[in-house]
Amino acid sequence: MWSFDRTVTIEKPLVTFPWRSVGFYALTGQSVITFKEKLVKETIGEAFEEIREQNPLNRILLAADNYGTHHAKLTQQRASELGIEFVFVPPYSPTLNAIEPLGKDLMREISPEIFADRDHFRAFLTETFLRLSHRLSFASGWIETFLPDVQRLR
């Protein structure tokens, strides 16, 4: 931080956590955020199970980027067993994946915060992700093009 008369430094401790977050932004149904130590095909399959558990009856059409584990045979097999279908967005096309603008807003809300510990961070991330995921504005292009009846369903 700076000021006109003197420089002020605010220390923000850098804390790392031994897990990664996996988010599912549901246009209809329940959005899900889960935490995994590593993002490998096995843990992605576990995340799919959590998504299906929260959305037992809904059709799940997952817009996915070209992350290697999304294409792995084990991942594809587990998704198929759970009735999860993929739509792969072209490389370098984040505007076609509705979760990208949600992630941008999520980071905007997280960045000014200072967290006491990993549990505080995880709780804040979960609450913020689930709150933001109720907004359909992140997916307005998808909705207008592919799902015109979604507004009625929410």
Short mmCIF file of all heavy atoms in Angstrom, two decimals, residues 55-102:
data_model
loop_
_atom_site.label_atom_id
_atom_site.label_comp_id
_atom_site.label_asym_id
_atom_site.label_seq_id
_atom_site.Cartn_x
_atom_site.Cartn_y
_atom_site.Cartn_z
N ASN A 55 -26.19 -34.14 -7.07
CA ASN A 55 -27.12 -33.98 -8.20
C ASN A 55 -27.56 -35.36 -8.68
O ASN A 55 -27.23 -35.76 -9.80
CB ASN A 55 -26.43 -33.21 -9.33
CG ASN A 55 -26.05 -31.82 -8.90
OD1 ASN A 55 -26.86 -30.91 -8.92
ND2 ASN A 55 -24.79 -31.64 -8.49
N PRO A 56 -28.29 -36.11 -7.85
CA PRO A 56 -28.58 -37.51 -8.17
C PRO A 56 -29.48 -37.73 -9.38
O PRO A 56 -29.35 -38.74 -10.06
CB PRO A 56 -29.24 -38.04 -6.89
CG PRO A 56 -29.78 -36.84 -6.21
CD PRO A 56 -28.86 -35.71 -6.56
N LEU A 57 -30.36 -36.79 -9.68
CA LEU A 57 -31.31 -37.01 -10.76
C LEU A 57 -31.05 -36.17 -11.99
O LEU A 57 -31.58 -36.46 -13.07
CB LEU A 57 -32.74 -36.73 -10.25
CG LEU A 57 -33.16 -37.56 -9.04
CD1 LEU A 57 -34.53 -37.13 -8.56
CD2 LEU A 57 -33.14 -39.04 -9.36
N ASN A 58 -30.27 -35.13 -11.84
CA ASN A 58 -30.06 -34.19 -12.95
C ASN A 58 -29.10 -34.75 -14.00
O ASN A 58 -28.20 -35.53 -13.68
CB ASN A 58 -29.48 -32.87 -12.43
CG ASN A 58 -30.42 -32.14 -11.50
OD1 ASN A 58 -31.46 -32.66 -11.11
ND2 ASN A 58 -30.05 -30.95 -11.13
N ARG A 59 -29.32 -34.31 -15.23
CA ARG A 59 -28.34 -34.59 -16.28
C ARG A 59 -27.13 -33.71 -15.99
O ARG A 59 -27.28 -32.52 -15.68
CB ARG A 59 -28.92 -34.23 -17.65
CG ARG A 59 -27.94 -34.42 -18.76
CD ARG A 59 -28.53 -34.03 -20.09
NE ARG A 59 -27.59 -34.31 -21.15
CZ ARG A 59 -27.53 -33.63 -22.27
NH1 ARG A 59 -28.40 -32.66 -22.50
NH2 ARG A 59 -26.65 -33.93 -23.19
N ILE A 60 -25.96 -34.28 -16.07
CA ILE A 60 -24.74 -33.51 -15.82
C ILE A 60 -23.95 -33.44 -17.12
O ILE A 60 -23.46 -34.45 -17.62
CB ILE A 60 -23.90 -34.13 -14.70
CG1 ILE A 60 -24.68 -34.11 -13.39
CG2 ILE A 60 -22.58 -33.38 -14.54
CD1 ILE A 60 -23.99 -34.78 -12.23
N LEU A 61 -23.88 -32.24 -17.65
CA LEU A 61 -23.10 -31.96 -18.84
C LEU A 61 -21.99 -31.04 -18.38
O LEU A 61 -22.22 -29.90 -17.98
CB LEU A 61 -23.98 -31.27 -19.90
CG LEU A 61 -23.34 -30.96 -21.23
CD1 LEU A 61 -22.89 -32.25 -21.92
CD2 LEU A 61 -24.32 -30.22 -22.10
N LEU A 62 -20.77 -31.55 -18.41
CA LEU A 62 -19.63 -30.86 -17.82
C LEU A 62 -18.79 -30.20 -18.92
O LEU A 62 -18.24 -30.89 -19.78
CB LEU A 62 -18.77 -31.87 -17.05
CG LEU A 62 -17.58 -31.34 -16.28
CD1 LEU A 62 -18.05 -30.50 -15.11
CD2 LEU A 62 -16.75 -32.50 -15.79
N ALA A 63 -18.74 -28.87 -18.90
CA ALA A 63 -17.84 -28.15 -19.80
C ALA A 63 -16.46 -28.21 -19.18
O ALA A 63 -16.25 -27.74 -18.08
CB ALA A 63 -18.30 -26.70 -19.97
N ALA A 64 -15.53 -28.83 -19.87
CA ALA A 64 -14.19 -29.05 -19.32
C ALA A 64 -13.14 -28.46 -20.24
O ALA A 64 -13.29 -28.43 -21.45
CB ALA A 64 -13.95 -30.55 -19.14
N ASP A 65 -12.06 -28.00 -19.61
CA ASP A 65 -10.93 -27.54 -20.40
C ASP A 65 -10.12 -28.77 -20.81
O ASP A 65 -10.54 -29.89 -20.63
CB ASP A 65 -10.09 -26.52 -19.62
CG ASP A 65 -9.57 -27.05 -18.30
OD1 ASP A 65 -9.53 -28.29 -18.12
OD2 ASP A 65 -9.18 -26.24 -17.45
N ASN A 66 -8.99 -28.55 -21.36
CA ASN A 66 -8.19 -29.66 -21.89
C ASN A 66 -7.11 -30.12 -20.92
O ASN A 66 -6.06 -30.59 -21.34
CB ASN A 66 -7.62 -29.28 -23.26
CG ASN A 66 -8.72 -29.24 -24.28
OD1 ASN A 66 -9.23 -30.28 -24.68
ND2 ASN A 66 -9.15 -28.05 -24.66
N TYR A 67 -7.38 -30.01 -19.64
CA TYR A 67 -6.48 -30.51 -18.61
C TYR A 67 -6.32 -32.01 -18.83
O TYR A 67 -7.30 -32.73 -19.07
CB TYR A 67 -7.09 -30.18 -17.24
CG TYR A 67 -6.16 -30.40 -16.08
CD1 TYR A 67 -4.97 -29.70 -15.95
CD2 TYR A 67 -6.50 -31.31 -15.08
CE1 TYR A 67 -4.14 -29.89 -14.86
CE2 TYR A 67 -5.67 -31.51 -13.99
CZ TYR A 67 -4.49 -30.80 -13.89
OH TYR A 67 -3.67 -31.00 -12.82
N GLY A 68 -5.12 -32.50 -18.75
CA GLY A 68 -4.83 -33.90 -19.10
C GLY A 68 -5.68 -34.92 -18.39
O GLY A 68 -6.11 -35.91 -18.99
N THR A 69 -5.96 -34.71 -17.09
CA THR A 69 -6.74 -35.71 -16.36
C THR A 69 -8.18 -35.78 -16.84
O THR A 69 -8.84 -36.79 -16.63
CB THR A 69 -6.73 -35.44 -14.84
OG1 THR A 69 -7.23 -34.14 -14.60
CG2 THR A 69 -5.34 -35.58 -14.28
N HIS A 70 -8.69 -34.74 -17.49
CA HIS A 70 -10.05 -34.80 -18.02
C HIS A 70 -10.15 -35.79 -19.19
O HIS A 70 -11.22 -36.33 -19.45
CB HIS A 70 -10.52 -33.42 -18.49
CG HIS A 70 -10.65 -32.43 -17.38
ND1 HIS A 70 -10.64 -31.08 -17.61
CD2 HIS A 70 -10.78 -32.59 -16.04
CE1 HIS A 70 -10.77 -30.44 -16.46
NE2 HIS A 70 -10.85 -31.34 -15.49
N HIS A 71 -9.05 -35.99 -19.89
CA HIS A 71 -9.04 -36.89 -21.04
C HIS A 71 -8.60 -38.31 -20.70
O HIS A 71 -8.70 -39.20 -21.54
CB HIS A 71 -8.10 -36.34 -22.13
CG HIS A 71 -8.62 -35.09 -22.77
ND1 HIS A 71 -9.58 -35.10 -23.76
CD2 HIS A 71 -8.32 -33.78 -22.55
CE1 HIS A 71 -9.85 -33.87 -24.13
NE2 HIS A 71 -9.10 -33.05 -23.41
N ALA A 72 -8.12 -38.53 -19.50
CA ALA A 72 -7.60 -39.85 -19.11
C ALA A 72 -8.71 -40.90 -19.20
O ALA A 72 -9.88 -40.64 -18.92
CB ALA A 72 -7.05 -39.80 -17.69
N LYS A 73 -8.33 -42.11 -19.60
CA LYS A 73 -9.32 -43.19 -19.76
C LYS A 73 -10.06 -43.47 -18.46
O LYS A 73 -11.28 -43.65 -18.46
CB LYS A 73 -8.64 -44.47 -20.25
CG LYS A 73 -8.23 -44.42 -21.69
CD LYS A 73 -7.59 -45.73 -22.13
CE LYS A 73 -7.11 -45.60 -23.57
NZ LYS A 73 -6.47 -46.84 -24.04
N LEU A 74 -9.34 -43.49 -17.35
CA LEU A 74 -9.98 -43.75 -16.05
C LEU A 74 -11.00 -42.67 -15.72
O LEU A 74 -12.10 -42.96 -15.23
CB LEU A 74 -8.92 -43.85 -14.95
CG LEU A 74 -9.44 -44.18 -13.55
CD1 LEU A 74 -10.04 -45.58 -13.52
CD2 LEU A 74 -8.32 -44.07 -12.53
N THR A 75 -10.67 -41.42 -15.99
CA THR A 75 -11.58 -40.31 -15.75
C THR A 75 -12.82 -40.44 -16.62
O THR A 75 -13.95 -40.31 -16.14
CB THR A 75 -10.88 -38.96 -16.04
OG1 THR A 75 -9.71 -38.86 -15.25
CG2 THR A 75 -11.79 -37.79 -15.75
N GLN A 76 -12.61 -40.69 -17.88
CA GLN A 76 -13.73 -40.83 -18.81
C GLN A 76 -14.62 -42.01 -18.43
O GLN A 76 -15.85 -41.92 -18.49
CB GLN A 76 -13.21 -40.99 -20.24
CG GLN A 76 -12.54 -39.76 -20.81
CD GLN A 76 -13.54 -38.65 -21.06
OE1 GLN A 76 -14.61 -38.87 -21.60
NE2 GLN A 76 -13.18 -37.44 -20.66
N GLN A 77 -14.00 -43.10 -18.03
CA GLN A 77 -14.75 -44.30 -17.63
C GLN A 77 -15.61 -44.00 -16.39
O GLN A 77 -16.79 -44.35 -16.35
CB GLN A 77 -13.80 -45.45 -17.34
CG GLN A 77 -14.50 -46.71 -16.88
CD GLN A 77 -13.50 -47.82 -16.52
OE1 GLN A 77 -12.30 -47.70 -16.77
NE2 GLN A 77 -14.00 -48.87 -15.92
N ARG A 78 -15.02 -43.35 -15.39
CA ARG A 78 -15.76 -43.05 -14.16
C ARG A 78 -16.89 -42.07 -14.45
O ARG A 78 -17.99 -42.21 -13.92
CB ARG A 78 -14.82 -42.49 -13.09
CG ARG A 78 -15.46 -42.38 -11.74
CD ARG A 78 -15.79 -43.78 -11.19
NE ARG A 78 -16.57 -43.67 -9.99
CZ ARG A 78 -17.74 -44.28 -9.81
NH1 ARG A 78 -18.25 -45.06 -10.74
NH2 ARG A 78 -18.40 -44.15 -8.68
N ALA A 79 -16.64 -41.09 -15.29
CA ALA A 79 -17.69 -40.13 -15.66
C ALA A 79 -18.84 -40.85 -16.36
O ALA A 79 -20.01 -40.60 -16.06
CB ALA A 79 -17.11 -39.05 -16.57
N SER A 80 -18.51 -41.76 -17.25
CA SER A 80 -19.53 -42.52 -17.96
C SER A 80 -20.36 -43.37 -16.99
O SER A 80 -21.59 -43.42 -17.10
CB SER A 80 -18.87 -43.41 -19.02
OG SER A 80 -19.84 -44.17 -19.69
N GLU A 81 -19.71 -44.01 -16.04
CA GLU A 81 -20.42 -44.82 -15.04
C GLU A 81 -21.39 -43.97 -14.22
O GLU A 81 -22.44 -44.45 -13.81
CB GLU A 81 -19.42 -45.49 -14.09
CG GLU A 81 -18.57 -46.56 -14.73
CD GLU A 81 -17.38 -46.99 -13.86
OE1 GLU A 81 -17.22 -46.46 -12.73
OE2 GLU A 81 -16.62 -47.84 -14.33
N LEU A 82 -21.02 -42.73 -13.98
CA LEU A 82 -21.84 -41.83 -13.17
C LEU A 82 -22.84 -41.02 -14.01
O LEU A 82 -23.60 -40.22 -13.46
CB LEU A 82 -20.95 -40.87 -12.38
CG LEU A 82 -20.08 -41.53 -11.31
CD1 LEU A 82 -19.01 -40.56 -10.82
CD2 LEU A 82 -20.95 -42.02 -10.16
N GLY A 83 -22.82 -41.22 -15.32
CA GLY A 83 -23.73 -40.49 -16.20
C GLY A 83 -23.35 -39.03 -16.38
O GLY A 83 -24.21 -38.18 -16.57
N ILE A 84 -22.07 -38.75 -16.35
CA ILE A 84 -21.57 -37.39 -16.57
C ILE A 84 -21.03 -37.31 -17.98
O ILE A 84 -20.18 -38.10 -18.37
CB ILE A 84 -20.49 -37.03 -15.53
CG1 ILE A 84 -21.09 -37.04 -14.12
CG2 ILE A 84 -19.86 -35.67 -15.85
CD1 ILE A 84 -20.08 -36.84 -13.01
N GLU A 85 -21.54 -36.36 -18.73
CA GLU A 85 -21.11 -36.16 -20.11
C GLU A 85 -20.18 -34.95 -20.20
O GLU A 85 -20.36 -33.98 -19.46
CB GLU A 85 -22.33 -35.92 -21.01
CG GLU A 85 -23.37 -37.03 -20.94
CD GLU A 85 -24.65 -36.62 -21.62
OE1 GLU A 85 -24.60 -36.33 -22.83
OE2 GLU A 85 -25.68 -36.56 -20.93
N PHE A 86 -19.22 -35.01 -21.10
CA PHE A 86 -18.26 -33.92 -21.28
C PHE A 86 -18.52 -33.13 -22.55
O PHE A 86 -18.90 -33.70 -23.58
CB PHE A 86 -16.83 -34.48 -21.40
CG PHE A 86 -16.20 -34.83 -20.10
CD1 PHE A 86 -16.32 -36.11 -19.57
CD2 PHE A 86 -15.46 -33.89 -19.40
CE1 PHE A 86 -15.72 -36.45 -18.38
CE2 PHE A 86 -14.86 -34.22 -18.20
CZ PHE A 86 -14.99 -35.50 -17.69
N VAL A 87 -18.27 -31.85 -22.46
CA VAL A 87 -18.13 -30.97 -23.61
C VAL A 87 -16.78 -30.32 -23.41
O VAL A 87 -16.57 -29.61 -22.43
CB VAL A 87 -19.23 -29.89 -23.67
CG1 VAL A 87 -18.94 -28.90 -24.78
CG2 VAL A 87 -20.59 -30.51 -23.83
N PHE A 88 -15.84 -30.59 -24.29
CA PHE A 88 -14.51 -30.01 -24.15
C PHE A 88 -14.45 -28.69 -24.91
O PHE A 88 -14.76 -28.64 -26.09
CB PHE A 88 -13.44 -30.97 -24.68
CG PHE A 88 -13.22 -32.14 -23.78
CD1 PHE A 88 -13.79 -33.37 -24.06
CD2 PHE A 88 -12.48 -32.01 -22.61
CE1 PHE A 88 -13.61 -34.45 -23.22
CE2 PHE A 88 -12.29 -33.08 -21.76
CZ PHE A 88 -12.86 -34.31 -22.06
N VAL A 89 -14.08 -27.64 -24.19
CA VAL A 89 -13.95 -26.34 -24.84
C VAL A 89 -12.63 -26.32 -25.60
O VAL A 89 -11.67 -26.98 -25.20
CB VAL A 89 -14.02 -25.18 -23.83
CG1 VAL A 89 -15.38 -25.14 -23.15
CG2 VAL A 89 -12.93 -25.25 -22.81
N PRO A 90 -12.58 -25.60 -26.70
CA PRO A 90 -11.33 -25.53 -27.45
C PRO A 90 -10.21 -24.91 -26.61
O PRO A 90 -10.49 -24.11 -25.72
CB PRO A 90 -11.67 -24.63 -28.65
CG PRO A 90 -13.15 -24.62 -28.73
CD PRO A 90 -13.65 -24.85 -27.34
N PRO A 91 -8.97 -25.27 -26.90
CA PRO A 91 -7.85 -24.66 -26.16
C PRO A 91 -7.87 -23.14 -26.27
O PRO A 91 -8.29 -22.57 -27.28
CB PRO A 91 -6.61 -25.22 -26.87
CG PRO A 91 -7.08 -26.46 -27.54
CD PRO A 91 -8.52 -26.22 -27.90
N TYR A 92 -7.47 -22.49 -25.18
CA TYR A 92 -7.38 -21.03 -25.11
C TYR A 92 -8.74 -20.35 -25.33
O TYR A 92 -8.83 -19.30 -25.95
CB TYR A 92 -6.34 -20.49 -26.08
CG TYR A 92 -5.02 -21.20 -25.96
CD1 TYR A 92 -4.59 -22.11 -26.92
CD2 TYR A 92 -4.21 -21.00 -24.83
CE1 TYR A 92 -3.39 -22.79 -26.78
CE2 TYR A 92 -3.02 -21.69 -24.69
CZ TYR A 92 -2.61 -22.57 -25.66
OH TYR A 92 -1.43 -23.24 -25.51
N SER A 93 -9.80 -20.97 -24.82
CA SER A 93 -11.15 -20.42 -24.96
C SER A 93 -11.86 -20.34 -23.61
O SER A 93 -12.93 -20.92 -23.43
CB SER A 93 -11.97 -21.29 -25.93
OG SER A 93 -11.36 -21.39 -27.17
N PRO A 94 -11.28 -19.64 -22.65
CA PRO A 94 -11.91 -19.60 -21.33
C PRO A 94 -13.29 -18.97 -21.34
O PRO A 94 -14.10 -19.25 -20.46
CB PRO A 94 -10.92 -18.79 -20.49
CG PRO A 94 -10.15 -17.99 -21.46
CD PRO A 94 -10.08 -18.82 -22.72
N THR A 95 -13.60 -18.15 -22.33
CA THR A 95 -14.92 -17.52 -22.37
C THR A 95 -16.02 -18.52 -22.66
O THR A 95 -17.19 -18.23 -22.43
CB THR A 95 -14.96 -16.40 -23.44
OG1 THR A 95 -14.59 -16.95 -24.70
CG2 THR A 95 -14.04 -15.26 -23.07
N LEU A 96 -15.66 -19.71 -23.14
CA LEU A 96 -16.66 -20.73 -23.41
C LEU A 96 -16.94 -21.61 -22.19
O LEU A 96 -17.84 -22.45 -22.23
CB LEU A 96 -16.22 -21.62 -24.58
CG LEU A 96 -16.05 -20.90 -25.92
CD1 LEU A 96 -15.58 -21.88 -26.98
CD2 LEU A 96 -17.36 -20.25 -26.35
N ASN A 97 -16.20 -21.43 -21.12
CA ASN A 97 -16.40 -22.21 -19.91
C ASN A 97 -16.96 -21.28 -18.83
O ASN A 97 -16.28 -20.38 -18.36
CB ASN A 97 -15.09 -22.85 -19.45
CG ASN A 97 -15.31 -23.92 -18.42
OD1 ASN A 97 -16.35 -23.99 -17.78
ND2 ASN A 97 -14.31 -24.76 -18.26
N ALA A 98 -18.22 -21.51 -18.45
CA ALA A 98 -18.92 -20.60 -17.55
C ALA A 98 -18.27 -20.48 -16.18
O ALA A 98 -18.48 -19.48 -15.48
CB ALA A 98 -20.37 -21.06 -17.40
N ILE A 99 -17.48 -21.46 -15.77
CA ILE A 99 -16.87 -21.38 -14.44
C ILE A 99 -15.70 -20.39 -14.40
O ILE A 99 -15.31 -19.92 -13.34
CB ILE A 99 -16.43 -22.78 -13.94
CG1 ILE A 99 -16.32 -22.79 -12.41
CG2 ILE A 99 -15.15 -23.24 -14.61
CD1 ILE A 99 -16.20 -24.15 -11.79
N GLU A 100 -15.16 -20.03 -15.55
CA GLU A 100 -14.01 -19.11 -15.58
C GLU A 100 -14.36 -17.73 -15.01
O GLU A 100 -13.62 -17.22 -14.16
CB GLU A 100 -13.44 -19.00 -16.99
CG GLU A 100 -12.84 -20.29 -17.52
CD GLU A 100 -11.56 -20.71 -16.80
OE1 GLU A 100 -10.90 -19.86 -16.18
OE2 GLU A 100 -11.23 -21.91 -16.87
N PRO A 101 -15.45 -17.08 -15.44
CA PRO A 101 -15.77 -15.78 -14.82
C PRO A 101 -16.14 -15.91 -13.35
O PRO A 101 -15.86 -15.02 -12.55
CB PRO A 101 -16.93 -15.22 -15.65
CG PRO A 101 -17.36 -16.30 -16.56
CD PRO A 101 -16.32 -17.37 -16.57
N LEU A 102 -16.74 -17.02 -12.96
CA LEU A 102 -17.02 -17.26 -11.55
C LEU A 102 -15.71 -17.32 -10.78
O LEU A 102 -15.57 -16.72 -9.71
CB LEU A 102 -17.82 -18.55 -11.37
CG LEU A 102 -18.34 -18.84 -9.97
CD1 LEU A 102 -19.59 -19.69 -10.05
CD2 LEU A 102 -17.33 -19.52 -9.10
#
